[in-house]
Amino acid sequence: MSSFRMNVMVCGGTGCMASDSNEVIQSFEKLIKEHGYSEEIQIVKTGCFGFCEQGPIVKIEPDNIFYVRVHPKDVEEIVKEHIIKGRKVERLLYQEPIKRERIEQHKKMPFYKKQLRIALRNCGLINPEDIYEYIAFEGYEALGKVLTSMSPMEVIETVKKAGLRGRGGGGFPTGLKWEYTRKSEGTTKYMICNADEGDPGAFMDRSILEGDPHSVIEAMVIGGYAIGAQEGIVYIRAEYPLAIERLNIAISEARKLGLLGENIFGSDFSFDIRLKYGAGAFVCGEETALINSVEGKRGEPRNKPPYPAQKGYWDRPTCVNNVETFANIPPIILKGSEWFSSIGTEKSKGTKVFALAGKVNNVGLVEVPMGTTLREIIYDIGGGILGGHKFKAVQTGGPSGGVITEKDLDTPIDYEHLMEIGSMMGSGGMIVMDETNCMVNISKFYLEFTMDESCGRCTPCRIGTKRLYEFLKKITDGKATMEDLDALKQLAYMVKDGSLCGLGQTAPNPVLSTIKYFGDEYIAHIKDKHCPTGECKALAKYSIDPENCVGCTACAKVCPVDCISGKVKETHVIDQSKCIKCGACFTACKFNAVIKP
């Protein structure tokens, strides 16, 4: 990279590629060649920058200028103005949503200011398909240190002292899991990477694999050395084609340089990695169900004990860690356990990556120190609520978590505090909701997901989630009674207590937490047959306020079933018998005359 006077870094993550970043790259390559700069300027396809809502993203180095929402037609202007004349293109700089200021450097943007990127350290910085770029940023130095100067138990002690806990949801201490696996009897052991990221809206593991696959490979080799394994398996869902492609490239490159395979770094330690594709079942995020799937069996959980550290893959001691957990290992080895444990809270060390989504201005991947508050994430990093609406709740932990309301926005985010307020860390999904979201409907959405994803092995989960969903549907349809609400709560606790694995045990969480914090919305649906936000179509009843209606006919023109009548400059009326409750009239009215139920 040093032989080029300028690097044009273009995001090659899945989100930006879906918005034509490949065409952006091709346009840069074509124009740079036409202008005769091919020997001076390099176009680098990087991993995800994290600021997905603003993609495709282009960063110019060494000028440190960060362009957002760059389309192929914008490339010519960047080349002519910035690259040739040295003048930045103002209109493509990020505009802060409140003060409306243009910001040219990403470190000055509110979205990045409070972030501390450890797991995502190389995403957006290097070409993930070039092992030498990873090596240029301390890549494989941690492995070299481990194999040449540390014993397996020293590696385990370092990870234990760092306080790293599993980032996949359970939060079990990683060093302790490695120690249990090492001490289990058996000469054949396995190290498995759980890349079966299944929470709705979560994509942090996918981004790490797409943007920095070598960090996971390096960590798996280190982990294999620590536990005494010679084989690693990455269990990855087949619906992540870009991550699979880059992992395969990375594994092939590592083998060519002797960083995978026999006698790594000239030592007597050998280790290799292969991929196993999953079919996208949510339950396979649970480690024993994952192991069953890797063995070619139906993906359903096993009874524990024995734990995988004792009897896992083909009944051999097996350690399962997720992608984000592995991504933290190389920096811990290089910088030491004290450095890592100095970040975060007393019991939750380091950082956590969240996929921030929903009704928030800045959508994307956020990595912050443990202990950062939800308010900081949503308002300082996320830029506040979209469209100036009022914050209502945030769901953490995906379908297994619970809602957190405004009164708990200043709670430090770590494993313990989230459990105290009725939610959980999960893998890091964070969905923000505003005043227009119906909490009963949200609860139904998550229950429908877990009902579909139940493997069916145990009755409480297989039948219980279906009955829970039916109760919720009855409520949103306006057909439920207060007795149904009582039955819903009782059944939720039965499913929670009686299910075999984490899927069923946590599936009722969204139901119980929304009843706890938004019980009045449930009662409004049941007693008043009214959805306060108007999201539940069966209870919707649009009407026109005669005092505000000016007779502009805008509502009548967009109505797909012609159920709005009225002459120009006269009050209009909605025929309720024909209305399909699509909401088109509400959106079209500029005079606040259409009343949303």
Side-chain angles (χ1 to χ4, degrees), residues 28 36 89 180 197 202 207 231 245 267 296 390-391 401 462 528:
F28 268 117
V89 183
Y180 287 155
E197 185 175 48
S207 287
E231 183 177 352
E245 180 185 339
S267 68
K390 186 182 176 186
F391 170 84
R462 183 180 70 248
D528 305 333

Side-chain angles (χ1 to χ4, degrees), residues 12-47:
T14 293
C16 282
M17 286 180 68
S19 299
D20 298 332
S21 73
N22 264 340
E23 285 76 5
V24 170
I25 291 170
Q26 290 165 7
S27 297
F28 268 117
E29 289 172 341
K30 177 175 177 289
L31 289 170
I32 292 298
K33 186 178 181 181
E34 285 177 2
H35 286 282
Y37 291 128
S38 298
E39 300 299 317
E40 300 177 44
I41 296 170
Q42 179 178 228
I43 313 301
V44 182
K45 186 179 185 179
T46 72

Side-chain angles (χ1 to χ4, degrees), residues 60-71:
I60 310 286
E61 291 285 11
D63 299 353
N64 199 19
I65 301 297
F66 196 86
Y67 291 123
V68 299
R69 294 181 177 170
V70 178
H71 296 287

Side-chain angles (χ1 to χ4, degrees), residues 16-177:
C16 282
M17 286 180 68
S19 299
D20 298 332
S21 73
N22 264 340
E23 285 76 5
V24 170
I25 291 170
Q26 290 165 7
S27 297
F28 268 117
E29 289 172 341
K30 177 175 177 289
L31 289 170
I32 292 298
K33 186 178 181 181
E34 285 177 2
H35 286 282
Y37 291 128
S38 298
E39 300 299 317
E40 300 177 44
I41 296 170
Q42 179 178 228
I43 313 301
V44 182
K45 186 179 185 179
T46 72
C48 179
F49 282 83
F51 208 173
C52 306
E53 195 261 341
Q54 295 287 327
I57 286 170
V58 173
K59 187 179 179 186
I60 310 286
E61 291 285 11
D63 299 353
N64 199 19
I65 301 297
F66 196 86
Y67 291 123
V68 299
R69 294 181 177 170
V70 178
H71 296 287
K73 60 183 173 54
D74 300 319
V75 173
E76 186 173 3
E77 187 177 355
I78 295 175
V79 171
K80 286 183 176 177
E81 287 298 309
H82 189 141
I83 294 177
I84 296 178
K85 297 177 181 175
R87 300 186 297 220
K88 55 182 177 285
V89 183
E90 291 281 343
R91 69 178 183 85
L92 293 175
L93 297 175
Y94 170 71
Q95 187 173 39
E96 199 275 328
I98 298 173
K99 296 180 180 177
R100 313 298 293 173
E101 291 174 348
R102 296 280 182 185
I103 303 174
E104 60 186 49
Q105 296 181 8
H106 79 282
K107 288 185 177 176
K108 295 181 179 178
M109 296 175 189
F111 182 77
Y112 289 105
K113 264 185 181 177
K114 290 194 173 182
Q115 290 200 49
L116 177 61
R117 293 161 76 90
I118 298 176
L120 298 175
R121 63 193 178 281
N122 288 328
C123 294
L125 181 66
I126 63 170
N127 177 355
E129 298 182 11
D130 185 345
I131 191 171
Y132 292 105
E133 293 205 12
Y134 180 68
I135 290 172
F137 288 89
E138 300 182 326
Y140 291 103
E141 284 186 20
L143 177 60
K145 179 181 177 181
V146 162
L147 294 185
T148 57
S149 64
M150 298 176 75
S151 69
M153 280 311 297
E154 285 175 332
V155 176
I156 290 172
E157 283 303 317
T158 301
V159 177
K160 281 171 68 177
K161 287 179 182 174
L164 176 65
R165 296 169 65 174
R167 300 299 196 242
F172 192 81
T174 304
L176 206 55
K177 189 182 257 191

Side-chain angles (χ1 to χ4, degrees), residues 440 443-444 447 451 463-492 494-495 511 515 522 525-526:
V440 186
S443 176
K444 188 178 74 171
L447 240 299
M451 176 184 72
I463 306 296
T465 54
K466 185 171 177 57
R467 295 287 95 85
L468 286 173
Y469 174 77
E470 289 169 353
F471 276 126
L472 289 167
K473 188 170 187 316
K474 205 172 171 184
I475 294 172
T476 55
D477 285 347
K479 298 175 181 174
T481 64
M482 289 303 290
E483 287 73 25
D484 290 323
L485 183 60
D486 291 336
L488 175 69
K489 283 189 279 189
Q490 287 181 21
L491 182 57
M494 290 171 66
V495 173
V511 180
I515 290 176
Y522 280 84
H525 283 70
I526 295 169

